[in-house]
Amino acid sequence: MSMPLSIPLIVALLIAILAILAVAGYVAVRPRMLHWGATPAEAGHAMDGDELISDPILVTTRAISVNVGPERVWPWLAQMGQGRGGFYSYEWLENLMGLDIHNADRIIPELQDLEPGDLIPFWRGAGVNAAVVHPQRLLLLAGTLNPPRGQEAGSSDVGGTWVFALDEPKRGSTRMVVRSRVAKFQPAWLSAVFMRVLEPVHFVMERKMLRGIKDRAERMSAAG
């Protein structure tokens, strides 16, 4: 005669089943998160900055089409940063983490002269450098948010890259492709765990950012 399962055992089995389903679901949706909006060709294409991190632990390529030309998209990229134009994402969520981000809904003229070497802050002076600046075409950010002691944030030590490429497939339109690459750090197990936690957060925030830039650029163009 079989013994009935105890309540603790049933709960443990349910938790195990839910965990398996969660992992399976994450594995299924992960490719879509990593390449949201991007075509297979865009996701597989080499981009500026790829060479700076030879063995990344995380690579994402996301894209969006904007119904205005690159000259109307670029100003929003040029003024990005904490204490600048923000990142056009979920401001309330960023500020829950104490980042003090305020997203601009206008183009700020005094922040348009972005040059290589300029710091794009993420939080109180911690950020990454604008490594390559080609107005209306390419912005490559590279650096590390946690530089070694005595080394300035955004210096030559590259912990990650963030590149924004603007193409004009037809006059008056923009294809914006954004790629992130993150270098491994020690210990390796912590690096792997951190990236798995970061992936969905990065996806949610960057997707909102791309839509935020698109909405602002198109709205300002429509307003004349």
Side-chain angles (χ1 to χ4, degrees):
M1 184 175 179
S2 60
M3 297 293 293
L5 295 176
S6 65
I7 291 179
L9 182 55
I10 292 174
V11 171
L13 287 172
L14 287 174
I15 292 174
I17 291 171
L18 290 175
I20 292 171
L21 291 175
V23 171
Y26 177 74
V27 170
V29 303
R30 184 171 184 256
R32 296 183 63 184
M33 289 197 309
L34 297 182
H35 301 144
W36 179 84
T39 66
E42 289 168 337
H45 183 67
M47 296 181 68
D48 290 78
D50 286 356
E51 72 283 356
L52 297 178
I53 300 176
S54 59
D55 187 23
I57 192 170
L58 176 65
V59 179
T60 69
T61 306
R62 301 183 177 114
I64 197 167
S65 294
V66 189
N67 296 317
V68 297
E71 74 281 357
R72 293 183 178 270
V73 176
W74 176 261
W76 301 101
L77 299 180
Q79 66 186 33
M80 287 192 307
Q82 187 271 346
R84 294 166 56 85
F87 293 102
Y88 320 114
S89 189
Y90 294 106
E91 180 182 295
W92 65 270
L93 185 56
E94 292 165 327
N95 291 333
L96 276 179
M97 298 182 287
L99 299 182
D100 193 26
I101 301 292
H102 302 282
N103 296 324
D105 287 317
R106 66 181 182 90
I107 293 173
I108 307 171
E110 59 268 30
L111 297 179
Q112 294 304 306
D113 296 326
L114 187 65
E115 297 182 357
D118 286 351
L119 181 69
I120 304 299
F122 283 74
W123 177 74
R124 298 181 185 178
V128 294
N129 283 127
V132 178
V133 180
H134 294 311
Q136 302 182 28
R137 189 167 68 84
L138 180 75
L139 174 60
L140 169 60
L141 308 180
T144 178
L145 293 176
N146 297 297
R149 183 172 297 178
Q151 181 175 303
E152 294 183 358
S155 71
S156 59
D157 181 64
V158 178
T161 58
W162 203 14
V163 59
F164 298 77
L166 305 180
D167 187 30
E168 190 171 16
K170 63 179 181 179
R171 186 170 180 81
S173 68
T174 300
R175 184 65 173 169
M176 178 164 56
V177 181
V178 182
R179 176 166 296 168
S180 300
R181 290 168 68 89
V182 180
K184 294 179 181 178
F185 55 87
Q186 297 301 321
W189 67 266
L190 180 59
S191 176
V193 171
F194 179 74
M195 285 302 104
R196 291 299 175 264
V197 173
L198 177 65
E199 280 181 10
V201 176
H202 183 234
F203 163 66
V204 169
M205 299 301 289
E206 189 168 83
R207 180 179 61 173
K208 176 63 174 177
M209 178 188 193
L210 295 182
R211 288 174 169 170
I213 293 173
K214 172 183 171 71
D215 291 345
R216 285 168 171 81
E218 292 179 352
R219 185 167 62 245
M220 179 162 285
S221 178

